[in-house]
Amino acid sequence: MAALQSVVMPKLGLTMTEGVLAEWKVAPGDAVSSGDVIFVVETDKISNEIEAPVNGIVARLHAAEGDVLPVGAVVLSLRTDGKPAEAAAEATPVALPIPARIVATPLARRMAARAGLDLATVAGSGPRGRIMAEDVAARGGSGAPAAPSLPAAPSPPVAPSPPVAPSPVHDTVHELGPYQRVAARRLAEAKRDIPHFYVFADADITDLLALREQLNGEQGRVRLTVNSFVAAALARTLRGYPSMNRVWADERLRELATIDVGMAVEGPKGLVAPVVRDLGDATLDEVAAAAEAVIARARAGRLAPQDLEGGAISVSNVGMFGATGLVPIINPGQSSILGVGAAQPTFRADAEGRPVLRQVLHLALSCDHRVIDGALAARFLQAVCRQLETSATLLRRPRKES
């Protein structure tokens, strides 16, 4: 009998439980060498090219593009005896679906069936040529069955025509891509399964903004953003609050060995939160440089799976859009996330009680109540505010603990 080797859906990260088979790179009967890319997997975080583990002939594809498969599910079978003939025919049948010749959404298939329209004659406008509902509608497939023809009857007397009703306005239905479906489900699970609570505080960053302007005026230095200061303040504060550097894992609390901070950024396929690592002893410039490198990879779509793993906390900043605040959802696998808005001019009393115009940053800390209690969260957030309000201390390394 032919020697078959199964290739399964890989586990590409600690929190990954399933992935989307986004694209096939091979077909049954193709010869592949070890290291050749055979398919692409999308998770809610990243796309990954999966390579053939051995030399062989593709015997069977066990899933279609767009299928969501659990980790460990068989994706492809390879013949490893090097005989291309009858490779596809001799493969052992499996229970998983065979890829369809025509890729179409369920709604598009129903509309085509009702209209008696052959999907093979419809050009798809969706990802990788997927046929969408609007593609069928454009070919006259409204989804309503055609009325049967009746014999002609004598014409009745002509009556006045009633007012013509306006044509109904139809909503536009947008199909989700595989990445969007998985991300939406993961966020829904996070909001449902993680017991969120929220703590709010305001930080006076008037001095921080002046310091930032001064430092950014120096040539040849890394550019500092408000996010640079926030990430550095979080990392510095976590040194004194190890209980905040914990996550919920396998019904236990895991305290992380390093201080890492996730940075939410808009990538080519949506929002991701790559992790900037080992910031416990970093200066402000070092935090900014590390964050800049990770964010650049995210925006270019070049993140690796390990870039999205680890860390107990992330930052999500909407200040650049003019929004004054945000209450974010915790990223699965972490225990908190800090929402940051735009600085707002606010009058505050000085030491003599006189009103002084200051720049105030609104912060919202979302916490996992299984890991963090309200008192700890409140103390931690106030400590972060103190770090931001005395931002010059972030220019030096933290003092070594005796």
Side-chain angles (χ1 to χ4, degrees), residues 263 265-268 274 276 288-303 307:
M263 306 286 286
V265 59
E266 195 170 17
V276 188
E292 185 179 77
V294 170
I295 290 171
R297 292 202 304 274
R299 288 175 174 159
R302 294 188 291 105
L303 290 175
D307 286 326

Side-chain angles (χ1 to χ4, degrees), residues 155-379:
S155 300
V158 177
S161 298
V164 178
S167 300
V169 178
H170 297 286
D171 295 338
T172 302
V173 177
H174 296 277
E175 299 285 346
L176 294 181
Y179 176 91
Q180 292 171 305
R181 288 201 306 271
V182 175
R185 183 184 54 75
R186 290 264 290 166
L187 284 173
E189 288 176 355
K191 193 65 169 68
R192 182 192 67 219
D193 297 340
I194 298 175
H196 285 61
F197 75 93
Y198 312 97
V199 182
F200 305 95
D202 291 331
D204 184 339
I205 63 166
T206 309
D207 296 339
L208 181 156
L209 294 176
L211 176 63
R212 172 177 173 261
E213 183 177 2
Q214 177 186 345
L215 295 174
N216 281 343
E218 300 178 10
Q219 298 295 321
R221 303 294 292 270
V222 63
R223 183 177 178 275
L224 300 173
T225 67
V226 172
N227 251 11
S228 308
F229 284 90
V230 173
L234 280 177
R236 195 66 59 90
T237 307
L238 282 171
R239 286 172 55 90
Y241 288 83
S243 294
M244 288 292 299
N245 202 33
R246 295 175 176 176
V247 297
W248 184 260
D250 301 322
E251 301 296 318
R252 292 176 292 179
L253 296 179
R254 176 183 296 165
E255 188 167 316
L256 305 183
T258 58
I259 293 175
D260 310 320
V261 178
M263 306 286 286
V265 59
E266 195 170 17
K269 296 184 179 179
L271 197 67
V272 290
V275 176
V276 188
R277 301 196 182 280
D278 204 9
L279 301 181
D281 293 320
T283 64
L284 177 62
D285 275 355
E286 290 169 342
V287 172
E292 185 179 77
V294 170
I295 290 171
R297 292 202 304 274
R299 288 175 174 159
R302 294 188 291 105
L303 290 175
Q306 58 267 26
D307 286 326
L308 296 156
E309 297 294 340
I313 191 168
S314 287
V315 179
S316 185
N317 191 333
V318 293
M320 66 286 294
F321 304 111
T324 59
L326 166 73
V327 182
I329 298 173
I330 299 168
N331 291 321
Q334 296 190 335
S335 58
S336 61
I337 184 169
L338 184 69
V340 182
Q344 298 295 301
T346 305
F347 281 102
R348 285 190 163 186
D350 63 10
E352 286 75 35
R354 295 171 299 190
V356 179
L357 189 63
R358 308 291 289 177
Q359 294 292 326
V360 174
L361 194 67
H362 182 65
L363 305 175
L365 183 66
S366 303
C367 299
D368 182 345
H369 218 324
R370 299 171 300 183
V371 182
I372 303 164
D373 63 33
L376 172 62
R379 288 195 296 269

Side-chain angles (χ1 to χ4, degrees), residues 108 111 117 122-126 129-141:
M111 291 173 61
L117 186 64
V122 180
S125 63
R130 189 181 183 92
I131 299 172
M132 317 298 285
E134 51 264 36
D135 301 326
V136 177
R139 287 294 311 276

